[in-house]
Amino acid sequence: MPRAVHLLALGIFAMVTSEFVVAGLMPQMAEGLGATIPEIGYLITAFAIAMAAGGPFLTVAVMRLRPKRALLTLFAVFLAGNVLAATATTYGTMLAARVVTGVASQAFFGVSLSLCAQLTRPEMRGRAVAVALNGLMLGTLLGLPLSTLVGEHFGWRAAFWTISALAVLAALCTAAGVPDAERSAEGGGIRQELAVFKRRKLWLTLMTSTFVIGATFSAFSYLNPVLTEVTGFSPGTVPGLLIAYGAATVAGNWIVGRLAVAVLLCGLTLNALFLAGFALTAHLPAPAVAFTMGIGLVGVTMNPAMVTRVQRAGNARPLVNSIHSSFITLGIVIGSSAGGLAVDAFGLRSPLWLGAALAVAGLGTLVPELARKAAPASPERPSDAPGLIAASSRP
């Protein structure tokens, strides 16, 4: 595996740590900014909306640059937004900071995953994506609990300053260790890039990703208050539980990176069961911890399978990867915002039930593909994605 792929994981780690940090510091940020817990939860939503709506436009803006220069440009934008977050004195300023960092993060994901495909052989792309996305998993394993610890001991602003320093380190490593590759010739200009979105199979694939992540984030966004206020754990225990949750995501990512894309069927089914079980037993510490670990194992860990599936249904260019990230972050928007509304209306267990429902909806998006695979092969029926590897094959 090229060293550059591991360095891309470091950049993703910095971005994801910034994305998730709010989830671990909700009470402190609510007090510091004079906001409510649901309002702080909406900062996660704002980050996701910025990724989904603004990320593809920034991706198009940097597409004319070589990948390395594009990555460094995106690091600069991300750092500016994160410093603004660290110095925010009002909720409005923090909201603006989350928008800036969200847009930069989305574009960074798109360029990084495209560069992974450019740097590796086709048969290695699935594993390269899994390696790069280890940055996402480690963001939950290490970045989130460590930033939570920093925030609890030195204030929530210190957590954002720490992430800023991490972004600078990742940018320096990228400058030194990522090759100055040419722009990929695959996919042509912007019209050719957009043409791939005429494929119905690609849209169904994108929708699956939305429901996978929406199901997970409806619970993840409110893990801290659920574990402290419903289950009864002390605030000091939560970072350790988040580390265990993150360890489950790393293990799941390693497994998913080596299994067929059909693992999504199993993952969504288990996630629905784990979320429903958590909702039923949230008041009991042992089952609550067990179901939290289960959600970590089969939630965001589906990312390598989702990315590989989308690249096979479309292509591996930055715009497809960025649009895919938009659908992923749309899931975060749905999960965190609808979860906040559910908390206000029905209490802290309700986001868990919402997540179970979203996982079931995700299973529904897999039905057409499963039916197509079960049907006898027809030589007259053209492929949805001519020239691409079949979705059931292994990288």
Side-chain angles (χ1 to χ4, degrees):
M1 192 66 61
R3 180 182 63 174
V5 174
H6 295 277
L7 296 178
L8 293 174
L10 178 61
I12 291 175
F13 173 75
M15 306 282 172
V16 170
T17 301
S18 180
E19 178 182 0
F20 289 170
V21 65
V22 170
L25 297 172
M26 280 189 173
Q28 299 94 319
M29 292 183 66
E31 182 179 354
L33 295 172
T36 65
I37 290 292
E39 285 174 338
I40 297 300
Y42 295 146
L43 291 175
I44 301 174
T45 307
F47 193 103
I49 291 175
M51 291 182 75
F57 292 100
L58 186 55
T59 301
V60 170
V62 300
M63 276 176 54
R64 296 183 179 181
L65 302 176
R66 290 188 175 189
K68 181 175 180 177
R69 181 171 296 181
L71 291 174
L72 294 176
T73 300
L74 295 171
F75 268 124
V77 176
F78 172 81
L79 181 61
N82 214 62
V83 169
L84 182 62
T87 58
T89 57
T90 65
Y91 184 83
T93 303
M94 176 59 74
L95 187 63
R98 298 294 286 174
V99 169
V100 173
T101 50
V103 170
S105 296
Q106 174 79 316
F108 189 91
F109 274 44
V111 175
S112 294
L113 295 179
S114 177
L115 186 56
C116 278
Q118 190 175 345
L119 294 174
T120 55
R121 301 187 306 274
E123 66 272 16
M124 291 294 294
R125 285 182 179 179
R127 293 191 180 185
V129 167
V131 169
L133 289 179
N134 271 333
L136 189 156
M137 309 309 159
L138 290 172
T140 58
L141 173 62
L142 298 176
L144 173 59
L146 289 178
S147 61
T148 301
L149 284 172
V150 170
E152 288 182 348
H153 288 86
F154 303 102
W156 61 266
R157 296 183 190 278
F160 283 97
W161 283 119
T162 301
I163 295 169
S164 297
L166 178 61
V168 171
L169 173 63
L172 292 175
C173 290
T174 298
V178 173
D180 194 17
E182 295 288 342
R183 291 169 51 210
S184 173
E186 180 187 345
I190 186 65
R191 289 188 178 181
Q192 289 79 5
E193 292 251 353
L194 291 173
V196 73
F197 292 98
K198 295 179 181 179
R199 300 173 184 168
R200 182 174 62 90
K201 179 180 177 181
L202 177 58
W203 287 104
L204 281 173
T205 303
L206 293 168
M207 288 171 61
T208 302
S209 297
T210 297
F211 286 118
V212 169
I213 300 302
T216 301
F217 265 80
S218 64
F220 178 78
S221 298
Y222 300 93
L223 271 183
N224 193 328
V226 169
L227 290 172
T228 55
E229 297 182 29
V230 179
T231 311
F233 286 110
S234 66
T237 305
V238 171
L241 294 174
L242 293 178
I243 289 175
Y245 174 94
T249 68
V250 172
N253 184 64
W254 185 88
I255 295 168
V256 171
R258 287 157 176 77
L259 294 180
V261 174
V263 76
L264 286 168
L265 177 64
C266 179
L268 278 165
T269 301
L270 288 174
N271 208 12
L273 294 174
F274 291 153
L275 285 160
F278 193 3
L280 289 170
T281 63
H283 60 291
L284 301 173
V289 170
F291 286 124
T292 297
M293 298 307 102
I295 295 166
L297 186 64
V298 298
V300 295
T301 56
M302 297 295 107
N303 266 296
M306 295 188 302
V307 171
T308 301
R309 188 166 175 250
V310 165
Q311 289 183 350
R312 287 170 177 168
N315 59 43
R317 291 280 292 147
L319 188 57
V320 167
N321 286 314
S322 184
I323 294 293
H324 180 214
S325 293
S326 292
F327 274 78
I328 287 175
T329 51
L330 177 60
I332 300 175
V333 171
I334 294 171
S336 60
S337 60
L341 293 173
V343 168
D344 283 339
F346 304 107
L348 284 169
R349 293 177 193 250
S350 56
L352 306 175
W353 288 115
L354 172 65
L358 291 172
V360 172
L363 287 170
T365 66
L366 296 176
V367 170
E369 183 174 347
L370 294 172
R372 186 167 56 249
K373 289 181 178 180
S378 173
E380 288 83 16
R381 186 174 62 191
S383 169
D384 285 338
L388 295 171
I389 302 172
S392 60
S393 65
R394 282 263 309 134

